[in-house]
Amino acid sequence: MEINGVTIEDTFAEAFKMWGSRLIITAATEQWAMTTAQAATGFGTSIIGCGCEAGIGRVLGVDQTPDGRPGVEVLFFTTSKKSIAPVLLVRVGQCIMTAPTSACFNGLAAEKTVAVGGKLRYFGDGFQSSKLIDGRRFWRVPVMDGEFVIEEEFGMQKSVGGGNFLILAESQTAALEASEQAVAAMRQVPDIIMPFPGGIVRSGSKTSSIYKGMTASTNTAYCPTIRQQVESVLPEGVNSVMEIVIDGLTEGAIAEAMRYGIAAACQPGVVRISAGNYGGTLGQFQFHLKQIMA
Amino acid sequence: MGSQLNSEKTTAVSINDDGVTLRLKAPITLPVEAESICPDCFVGCQQSEILALPVFCGRRRKMLGDIFSVSGEASDRITVEGDLTHFKRIGQGMSRGRLTLRGDGGMHIGAYMKGGEICVEGNTRDWTGAHMTGGMIRIRGNAGHFTGAAYPGEIRGVNRGTIIVHGDVGNETGARMRRGLIVVEGHTGECTGAGMIAGSVFVFGKLGARAGAGNKRGSIVALGETAPMLPTYQYQCRAQFGFLGVYLRQIRKWGIAVSDDLLKGSFRRFSGDVTALNKGEILIHD
């Protein structure tokens, strides 16, 4: 299969079951909502090193948020149901509650919930108070700039992490430009994040190493500078590879995002689109590139 | 009584979505105990069974069919037409469905209500929604005293649920409420939120005197004029309160005009009552 002269490899992305949660951050201005969202989702690129994968979703207008202020959606993904509570507690407590004028609301109606506001309320030292309206409980915590409002519980649901595709290009410039185009296109799709910096990974990994204690190391098969020293999979003419990793609340959202991203990435200077997998032995989900782009 | 009737009948007749309409045959001035006018009682009943439901008219036991003409059957959507000023306890303890009163209602409407919706297109008398624990009551006209309040001798009153009064209310609205929300589009009488344990009362008109007397943790939000405050409240600060954005947007969805000024406005916060727990508040819009 070819799109705009770019070969779509007959392979698949292998992805894993995760647990996801969506929060709505509001603030006095969109700028402060975004600043808060960036702080809350920082250092959330990979579950291996960061404890969660996090990213920013849609920017919300004043008519789309519970309190009528500008808002931003943020998504968090962890590998288990149990691990989502400590992640949210720390990030909401340290990055959202601390941000000027912020408030934090549940953005995911789900059967399973995790208590976050219900625990952070104790910061109020006895002066916190709760409000219950339309079946939703909010906590008002007195803070130095006024009050921090946080919802008692946040929804969480089974999700998918690790959807991906690789952009194999003639040059680093071409790979970066194509990746940027892909990320911009994928941001239109709701319920997904691309947790790496700017949505792009340049240091993909494999699950082995020559060093003891290292569970992952650089993906040598895709490193162009050592192509003749290893079993490289890079075709002739490829001098740079970048990867886009996607986490989503649903399998469908990831497939949709990949479709948008791959279509946008197929531009001059790009040789091939591929995807990362472990032969189908580890992940519960497979995203076949040809099926997605059919 | 309602739940007992319901449990006996629910399996007999399937639910009819067309609803049941009761029309008052003739004006009644005697007090009528009418807790059988309740969706939970009607939902499993054929028309003949609805006609036979008991009411006490003065001291005499009568049947609904003696007082009302009935159309429809087996539904949890009830419409009652006529002047029901002297009918007490309509919708008492209801847990489901919708009850519409096309006219005025009497005392204790929706008392102990657990769910569903009551809409009164006229006025109601005292004790509307007393001790309710869920659902919504909407009064298009005025409501009497003790709206959403606790009965004498009871420590706790309303515990969840919403009461919306588009007109005025009398004294002691929300007295000793534990949770829940009361919204008054008009004015309130004296002692609004007296002895509130928690919950919220929003007043768009004038908040009457002695509001929040004995308030422990409740919130009284004054969006219009206010009578002089009790001296047992202390001014804290002027601020914008995030939770009010959530509440006022929901109240706007319920059909009450909430201006953008109110949504973005700042409020003066008074805490009190210092003679009680002192964790309650009155918020006054600037």
Side-chain angles (χ1 to χ4, degrees), chain A residues 71-90:
Chain A
V72 175
E73 282 181 350
V74 288
L75 283 83
F76 294 92
F77 295 90
T78 62
T79 49
S80 70
K81 217 172 10 175
K82 273 187 182 173
S83 57
I84 207 157
V87 162
L88 292 183
L89 207 57
V90 169

Side-chain angles (χ1 to χ4, degrees), chain B residues 249-260:
Chain B
R249 282 167 64 83
Q250 182 62 52
I251 289 169
R252 184 187 263 181
K253 282 183 195 164
W254 285 330
I256 291 178
V258 177
S259 67
D260 288 342

Side-chain angles (χ1 to χ4, degrees), chain B residues 9 45-53 63-65 70 72-74:
Chain B
K9 302 291 183 185
C45 290
Q46 292 173 344
Q47 197 175 92
S48 57
E49 294 169 308
I50 293 172
L51 289 166
L53 285 170
M63 296 188 295
L64 270 185
V70 178
E73 61 181 2

Side-chain angles (χ1 to χ4, degrees), chain A residues 20 24 34 36 44 55 70-72 103 122 155 182 217 232 253-254 271 273 286-287:
Chain A
I24 296 172
M34 184 55 79
T36 309
V72 175
Y122 295 111
S217 63
S232 179
I254 289 188
V271 175
I273 301 292
Q286 294 180 3
F287 296 92

Side-chain angles (χ1 to χ4, degrees), chain A residues 62-69 103 105 125-134 137-138 140 145-147 149, chain B residues 160 179-181 198-200 217-219 239-243 245-247 249-251 254 269 279 281 283:
Chain A
V62 294
D63 54 345
Q64 295 173 298
T65 59
D67 64 357
R69 302 191 301 167
F105 302 98
D125 202 24
F127 292 94
Q128 70 274 19
S129 61
S130 85
K131 288 289 154 198
L132 183 68
I133 185 167
D134 210 25
R137 183 182 293 284
F138 304 92
R140 300 165 56 194
D145 80 343
E147 279 186 351
V149 175
Chain B
R160 291 190 169 89
R179 292 189 186 88
L181 171 63
S200 307
R217 292 179 186 272
S219 298
Q240 289 177 310
F241 292 89
F243 86 98
V246 179
Y247 270 66
R249 282 167 64 83
Q250 182 62 52
I251 289 169
W254 285 330
R269 180 174 193 268
K279 289 190 174 175
E281 64 186 352
L283 303 176

Side-chain angles (χ1 to χ4, degrees), chain A residues 7-290:
Chain A
T7 304
I8 308 297
E9 201 172 306
D10 187 8
T11 186
F12 59 91
E14 194 169 345
F16 302 86
K17 188 183 86 178
M18 296 186 94
W19 282 84
S21 195
R22 179 169 54 210
L23 280 56
I24 296 172
I25 296 168
T26 67
T29 63
E30 186 184 316
Q31 182 202 338
W32 272 110
M34 184 55 79
T35 300
T36 309
Q38 285 165 344
T41 57
F43 188 58
T45 56
S46 166
I47 195 81
I48 299 167
C50 310
C52 76
E53 296 181 7
I56 294 172
R58 294 179 304 163
V59 174
L60 303 174
V62 294
D63 54 345
Q64 295 173 298
T65 59
D67 64 357
R69 302 191 301 167
V72 175
E73 282 181 350
V74 288
L75 283 83
F76 294 92
F77 295 90
T78 62
T79 49
S80 70
K81 217 172 10 175
K82 273 187 182 173
S83 57
I84 207 157
V87 162
L88 292 183
L89 207 57
V90 169
R91 287 179 180 257
V92 175
Q94 300 302 316
C95 304
I96 300 179
M97 184 168 70
T98 55
T101 76
S102 68
C104 188
F105 302 98
N106 178 29
L108 183 66
E111 274 182 31
K112 306 272 185 194
T113 58
V114 54
V116 178
K119 290 180 179 168
L120 281 177
R121 68 185 166 116
Y122 295 111
F123 186 73
D125 202 24
F127 292 94
Q128 70 274 19
S129 61
S130 85
K131 288 289 154 198
L132 183 68
I133 185 167
D134 210 25
R136 295 170 74 171
R137 183 182 293 284
F138 304 92
W139 284 98
R140 300 165 56 194
V141 180
V143 287
M144 293 195 303
D145 80 343
E147 279 186 351
F148 174 56
V149 175
I150 181 169
E151 197 153 351
E152 163 113 340
E153 293 182 329
F154 296 108
M156 60 176 170
Q157 69 177 42
K158 282 181 186 172
S159 304
V160 183
N164 69 81
F165 63 92
L166 296 154
I167 298 167
L168 285 59
E170 291 168 357
S171 67
Q172 194 181 61
T173 305
L176 185 59
E177 277 179 12
S179 300
E180 287 172 347
Q181 296 286 329
V183 168
M186 294 163 77
R187 289 204 195 282
Q188 299 171 53
V189 180
D191 299 339
I192 61 116
I193 56 164
M194 293 157 281
F196 284 93
I200 306 165
V201 198
R202 65 94 173 264
S203 61
S205 59
K206 65 178 184 297
T207 55
S208 62
S209 168
I210 62 166
Y211 300 108
K212 276 186 185 173
M214 289 280 286
T215 53
S217 63
T218 190
N219 198 352
T220 45
Y222 285 90
C223 293
T225 57
I226 53 172
R227 66 197 305 160
Q228 297 302 332
Q229 296 167 268
V230 296
E231 281 187 33
S232 179
V233 295
L234 297 180
E236 205 55 41
V238 170
N239 293 300
S240 183
V241 179
M242 292 187 190
E243 181 178 3
I244 296 177
V245 174
I246 311 122
D247 297 334
L249 291 174
T250 63
E251 202 176 344
I254 289 188
E256 183 75 350
M258 287 177 68
R259 192 169 67 78
Y260 271 68
I262 292 169
C266 291
Q267 52 179 277
V270 176
V271 175
R272 179 178 290 210
I273 301 292
S274 185
N277 64 61
Y278 307 94
T281 55
L282 293 179
Q284 293 90 339
F285 303 95
Q286 294 180 3
F287 296 92
H288 291 263
L289 301 188
K290 285 192 171 177

